[in-house]
Amino acid sequence: MSDNRIYRTRSLGIPAAGLKDQYSDGTAAHLWELYIGDKSQRTAVYRKFITDQLKARNCITVLDVACGTGIDSVMLLEEGFRLTSVDLSDKMLKYALKTRWKRRKEPAFDAWEIEEANWMTLTEDIYGEEQFDAVICLGNSFAHLPNKELDFANQRLALSNFCAMVKPGGVLLIDHKNYDDILERGTSPTHNIYYNGEHLESIITSVVVTEGTPVLVTLDYVIKLDGDKDLRDDTDSERAKRGRLQKVTQNKFRLSCFPHRLDSFTSLLKETFGPEAQHSVYGDFQPLGHIPSPVFYIHLIEKPAR
C-alpha cells in the first residue's frame, strides 16, 4: 500500500491555503542559496532567453509569483524591468528583502515591491486591481503545488489567478522539470542550465505510484557543507556564505513535486488561457526537439488581447 504522507516532510511546498510552508524551518532556504550557486554566474543563455522573450513583447512590468530568494527578480531588475515579487515562504523572502535593502540606492531596487502571497488567493493578496505585462513562475516552482486528488483543482485555480494578473496581450512564462524523463529513468539530473552551484553532491529521487499512476516525486538535495575550508582567498560574499553554512546543522532538504507531464501541462495552460492563446514550448531554452532530453520545459503563453 502506497501512502503519499510517508514521503512528506513538514509541508508540501508552495501550497494550497491551509498547508504549511516547506521552507518554514529555514534550513532549505539556507541550502537553496548554495544549490543555486553564485547569482552573478547565472548562465548567460538563461538570462538572455528570459529577457529577450519579455522585451520582444514590450513587457515592462513583471510579477514574479515564485521569487524565492529573488534570483530571477534581481536578474530582471538589472535588465530594466519593474518587478513585483511574491512568495509564500517568509524564510525565502528574507533573502530578497536583504538584497533590496543592500541595493536600495539603485532606483530599480528602491521601487522593487516584495510581498508574501499564496497562489490560491493571489488576486486578493496582490493589492489593487493591477495587472502586469508578464507573470513568471520559474525554477520548477509550480510542481510543488500538490495534486492530492489527481483532479488538478489546485493547478486550475492557481493558473486562473496567474491569468487574471496578466494584461490582455501579456504573457505567462512558466516551467517545470522534464518529469517524463525523470519517471522513465527514475533519477533527476544534478546540474543543469538553471542551477550550477558547486555545493550540490546529489539529488536522491523517489517516486510514489498509486494505482499505476505517478502521484509524487520527492527530491532529496544533498549539499556539501565545506564550511571549514580556508577562507583567505574567498571574496566577501563567499565568506558570508560560509558563515551561514556553519550555522546549518543539516546537509540535505527535501522537496515534494507533482510530476507534470508535458502533454497534460500543455492542456492545462490552453484550458486556462483559451484556444486563441499563442503557446510555445522550449526545452532548456531551445526550440522543442532541438535537445533530445532537456532538463526543463519552458512554456510561454500569451493572453489574447481584447
Side-chain angles (χ1 to χ4, degrees):
M1 178 178 178
S2 178
D3 184 344
N4 294 3
R5 289 174 296 180
I6 66 174
Y7 281 97
R8 295 177 186 169
T9 53
R10 60 181 60 222
S11 72
L12 286 172
I14 311 299
L19 296 181
K20 295 181 180 179
D21 165 23
Q22 186 158 286
Y23 303 94
S24 60
D25 67 351
T27 299
H30 277 299
L31 297 177
W32 190 253
E33 286 280 282
L34 302 178
Y35 174 50
I36 289 173
D38 189 345
K39 296 181 183 66
S40 66
Q41 297 300 314
R42 193 71 156 169
T43 56
V45 65
Y46 177 96
R47 188 182 191 111
K48 178 174 173 53
F49 177 87
I50 302 298
T51 56
D52 283 358
Q53 293 293 339
L54 296 180
K55 289 179 178 178
R57 292 163 177 81
N58 299 313
C59 296
I60 298 174
T61 60
V62 179
L63 172 63
D64 184 352
V65 295
C67 79
T69 59
I71 182 171
D72 291 318
S73 292
V74 169
M75 177 185 75
L76 293 177
L77 286 165
E78 292 173 343
E79 292 289 336
F81 297 94
R82 295 206 301 265
L83 265 292
T84 296
S85 304
V86 302
D87 202 282
L88 183 62
S89 171
D90 61 343
K91 294 296 190 298
M92 298 290 272
L93 284 176
K94 77 175 185 179
Y95 289 94
L97 290 165
K98 284 181 179 179
T99 300
R100 183 178 67 178
W101 175 254
K102 290 177 182 178
R103 301 182 65 173
R104 65 191 182 279
K105 293 183 180 180
E106 301 174 48
F109 283 82
D110 185 53
W112 182 14
E113 296 185 17
I114 302 174
E115 299 287 348
E116 188 174 333
N118 188 317
W119 293 346
M120 302 294 96
T121 54
L122 185 64
T123 55
E124 301 170 17
D125 295 345
I126 303 296
Y127 299 108
E129 298 181 356
E130 182 179 5
Q131 290 182 304
F132 299 84
D133 298 325
V135 171
I136 64 171
C137 184
L138 301 174
N140 192 49
S141 300
F142 197 75
H144 297 313
L145 188 62
N147 186 25
K148 185 177 180 181
E149 304 300 329
L150 299 183
D151 59 0
F152 294 99
N154 289 338
Q155 284 72 17
R156 286 187 172 91
L157 177 56
L159 288 174
S160 176
N161 286 336
F162 293 174
C163 183
M165 304 306 295
V166 178
K167 292 179 180 178
V171 65
L172 169 67
L173 200 58
I174 188 169
D175 67 14
H176 57 85
K177 285 191 174 185
N178 182 354
Y179 287 105
D180 294 86
D181 196 56
I182 290 174
L183 294 175
E184 180 179 346
R185 297 173 183 269
T187 60
S188 179
T190 52
H191 292 75
N192 54 70
I193 204 166
Y194 273 53
Y195 305 116
N196 53 17
E198 62 182 17
H199 294 273
L200 181 65
E201 187 173 296
S202 64
I203 301 177
I204 302 171
T205 306
S206 304
V207 179
V208 177
V209 177
T210 300
E211 297 293 328
T213 300
V215 296
L216 196 72
V217 170
T218 60
L219 304 173
D220 287 301
Y221 294 79
V222 182
I223 306 296
K224 291 179 288 187
L225 300 181
D226 53 350
D228 294 331
K229 180 182 174 181
D230 192 338
L231 306 183
R232 286 175 297 179
D233 296 328
D234 281 351
T235 64
D236 289 342
S237 63
E238 288 170 335
R239 290 191 187 96
K241 183 182 292 183
R242 296 192 188 282
R244 292 197 299 272
L245 275 176
Q246 292 171 349
K247 299 177 184 178
V248 177
T249 58
Q250 301 180 47
N251 75 323
K252 65 173 61 177
F253 64 95
R254 170 174 289 183
L255 296 181
S256 300
C257 309
F258 179 80
H260 286 287
R261 292 187 179 273
L262 178 59
D263 289 345
S264 61
F265 193 78
T266 295
S267 296
L268 280 173
L269 286 175
K270 290 183 176 180
E271 175 187 323
T272 303
F273 281 78
E276 296 181 0
Q278 296 295 315
H279 176 251
S280 303
V281 186
Y282 300 85
D284 287 349
F285 308 116
Q286 297 295 320
L288 200 60
H290 282 212
I291 298 177
S293 297
V295 178
F296 276 83
Y297 287 122
I298 304 95
H299 298 255
L300 190 150
I301 189 160
E302 299 181 47
K303 185 174 182 178
R306 291 195 183 105

